[in-house]
Amino acid sequence: MDAHYLNEVLKGNTNAFSYFIKTYQNKAYGIAMSIVKQEDDAKDVVQQSFIEAYVSISKFRNDAKFSTWLYRIIVNTGLQFLAQKKRSVLNHQALEVSTTERTACNTVLQEMQQDDLKQLVQLVFGQIPSKQALLLQLFYIDELHIFEIEDITGLSKPNIKVLLHRGRTSFYSIIQQQHIKKPY
């Protein structure tokens, strides 16, 4: 489906690009939010990313999925946005988490309503380093494979695995610190 609309845009049909916006806007927002942490900033990043994608669409080489190419633009735009705003990223040390604690945390999360879970994830993503939040977003929420994440982020496979581990640990640590209890 992407290929059809891509060809239309390349032929000069500017309206065909709206397909990409409608198809990818939610995931684009999730990726941007995981990087910049603020709703308005994430919206700006998404808007700028779609503009960049439209302007650069002739450079798309079809050697990867369109979504992978677009997500790479979003990541780069988000990181550039952070650099321009001169935001500092907090460094968290990886914490050891016992199997029992992980199991208890997973049980609580599985019992939460979908909306509560989304709010919790966004809250926690706002408190962990951007790279960790981004990789957790891409791997667990967007369900991308490691090789796709490599293409999107430019990080190596071992680095992605380390950051995913740290992200999971940070995520769990924040949940523990906030004493999140099962809603009734």
Side-chain angles (χ1 to χ4, degrees):
M1 186 68 85
D2 286 356
H4 169 73
Y5 288 98
L6 180 62
N7 288 332
E8 287 297 311
V9 172
L10 290 172
K11 289 179 186 175
N13 180 355
T14 57
N15 293 330
F17 194 77
S18 65
Y19 161 81
F20 295 111
I21 295 170
K22 290 175 188 172
T23 302
Y24 296 109
Q25 67 184 354
N26 290 337
K27 287 190 178 188
Y29 176 78
I31 291 168
M33 191 68 177
S34 71
I35 296 171
V36 298
K37 313 283 192 217
Q38 301 291 324
E39 287 185 36
D40 290 339
D41 293 345
K43 289 176 184 176
D44 290 345
V45 167
V46 169
Q47 182 178 16
Q48 184 61 37
S49 297
F50 277 115
I51 291 169
E52 177 66 28
Y54 180 77
V55 169
S56 303
I57 203 160
S58 63
K59 297 176 185 174
F60 177 67
R61 294 176 290 171
N62 278 326
D63 59 349
K65 293 192 302 188
F66 180 83
S67 60
T68 301
W69 180 75
L70 177 63
Y71 296 160
R72 178 69 184 178
I73 290 173
I74 296 163
V75 168
N76 286 339
T77 303
L79 294 175
Q80 289 171 358
F81 182 89
L82 286 178
Q84 289 171 356
K85 289 282 206 162
K86 296 184 180 180
R87 294 186 181 177
S88 63
V89 175
L90 300 175
N91 292 323
H92 291 279
Q93 293 180 343
L95 301 173
E96 290 300 316
V97 180
S98 73
T99 304
T100 305
E101 291 171 327
R102 278 193 195 121
T103 303
C105 179
N106 288 339
T107 302
V108 170
L109 288 175
Q110 289 171 353
E111 294 173 0
M112 294 177 82
Q113 295 294 327
Q114 188 67 18
D115 289 340
D116 293 337
L117 184 58
K118 285 180 183 177
Q119 289 176 348
L120 170 65
V121 168
Q122 288 306 317
L123 173 76
V124 174
F125 277 12
Q127 297 179 36
I128 64 176
S130 293
K131 280 187 181 179
Q132 292 176 15
L134 170 64
L135 293 180
L136 291 174
Q137 168 79 31
L138 294 173
F139 190 75
Y140 290 106
I141 296 174
D142 296 336
E143 298 179 348
L144 297 178
H145 296 282
I146 297 285
F147 67 88
E148 291 175 304
I149 296 172
E150 283 181 287
D151 289 342
I152 292 168
T153 62
L155 298 172
S156 67
K157 184 176 180 178
N159 198 0
I160 290 169
K161 288 183 176 185
V162 167
L163 288 170
L164 279 172
H165 171 73
R166 288 180 182 165
R168 287 187 298 266
T169 304
S170 296
F171 190 97
Y172 177 74
S173 175
I174 290 169
I175 290 172
Q176 282 292 102
Q177 289 171 3
Q178 295 192 6
H179 304 290
I180 296 180
K181 297 185 176 148
K182 178 179 170 184
Y184 293 99

